[in-house]
Amino acid sequence: MGAAGCSALRRSYNVPMERDIERILISRKCISERVSALADSIGETYGADSEGLVIVPILAGSVIFLADLIRCLPFKMKIGLMTVSSYRGKTTSAGESRLIQDLNLDIEDRHVLVVDDILDTGSTLRLVVGELRQRRPASVRICVLLRKRSKAPRDFSVDFVGFDIEDVFVVGYGLDYNDHYRNWPDIGVLKPELYE
Ligand code: XMP
């Protein structure tokens, strides 16, 4: 479907997301440039070790980031899915996470790159890394698109970060509120009256 088809769809269904977004925090253009720079860093870091790399995206928030990132990575890789649910209030992470769907690939002696949408309290990624390490991978590295710098724990480091952001609740580019807004192409701050 061409661009004209997309705008026709927008007109006929007309359920605009923009009215719920207070402001754009990171534009789609900035995201795209940063994702390709991240892919360059990942490629340089792995070098010859990219052989047999397993990418582990954490569902569902990382899906759009993952799709863009891996298409900038020119080497062969496997993708193993994990789903984690975070127990949280409407927009605050309570710091408790639970594994919903486990990895479906053998990662023993493999280099593993975990891809997630956002590092907030770190509870999700701590759980994931703990689970993965039990399977004796050659290495585990982490790539997050966003990091809430003021909340991210100091004793938990990640290897690749797209953007450090302030402590606001963001949606778009895969991030949701109540399972909506994942398809908003920018990263935006949701209007507080929608969840207060
Ligand atoms: P933790 O606290 O485990 O949080 O590091 C990571 C998970 O919590 C969700 N999360 C958000 N989702 N906007 C969102 O749409 C946000 O601002 C936000 N902060 C945390 C997300 O699922 C992430 O993987």
Side-chain angles (χ1 to χ4, degrees):
M1 184 191 296
C6 283
S7 51
L9 266 181
R10 215 177 287 136
R11 272 198 303 277
S12 55
Y13 290 99
N14 199 20
V15 185
M17 286 177 283
E18 51 263 60
R19 68 180 172 199
D20 297 345
I21 308 292
E22 186 176 76
R23 63 189 159 101
I24 291 178
L25 193 66
I26 309 171
S27 70
R28 62 198 81 178
K29 181 168 178 293
C30 279
I31 297 171
S32 157
E33 289 168 0
R34 188 69 191 118
V35 169
S36 104
L38 274 177
D40 288 346
S41 309
I42 291 168
E44 278 165 26
T45 300
Y46 281 99
D49 287 343
S50 65
E51 175 93 34
L53 179 67
V54 179
I55 305 259
V56 177
I58 308 306
L59 301 178
S62 69
V63 283
I64 295 180
F65 176 38
L66 174 83
D68 286 346
L69 183 70
I70 59 175
R71 285 179 297 165
C72 295
L73 294 171
F75 40 82
K76 274 170 80 175
M77 64 182 69
K78 290 189 176 182
I79 299 174
L81 308 177
M82 273 180 118
T83 307
V84 176
S85 112
S86 316
Y87 292 102
R88 52 190 165 106
K90 285 181 190 162
T91 60
T92 53
S93 175
E96 257 186 83
S97 303
R98 189 163 58 100
L99 195 60
I100 301 289
Q101 186 201 317
D102 207 348
L103 190 65
N104 51 354
L105 282 181
D106 180 11
I107 56 166
E108 190 167 346
D109 297 328
R110 300 280 180 185
H111 293 288
V112 172
L113 178 65
V114 178
V115 174
D116 204 4
D117 52 357
I118 187 165
L119 174 66
D120 190 325
T121 64
S123 147
T124 302
L125 284 168
R126 265 189 220 280
L127 172 77
V128 166
V129 169
E131 291 286 331
L132 294 176
R133 284 204 200 285
Q134 289 177 26
R135 294 158 213 211
R136 290 188 256 216
S139 69
V140 178
R141 290 190 176 93
I142 301 174
C143 175
V144 292
L145 179 65
L146 306 175
R147 175 171 61 184
K148 289 189 179 171
R149 186 91 196 172
S150 63
K151 288 176 77 186
R154 280 160 205 266
D155 64 340
F156 188 85
S157 65
V158 292
D159 304 273
F160 308 96
V161 180
F163 302 92
D164 277 310
I165 63 165
E166 56 204 277
D167 184 15
V168 284
F169 192 78
V170 287
V171 294
Y173 199 70
L175 292 130
D176 74 302
Y177 172 66
N178 214 7
D179 286 320
H180 284 132
Y181 311 105
R182 290 195 201 276
N183 58 320
W184 175 250
D186 307 296
I187 292 171
V189 178
L190 198 62
K191 285 185 177 165
E193 60 263 34
L194 292 169
Y195 53 82
E196 275 172 2

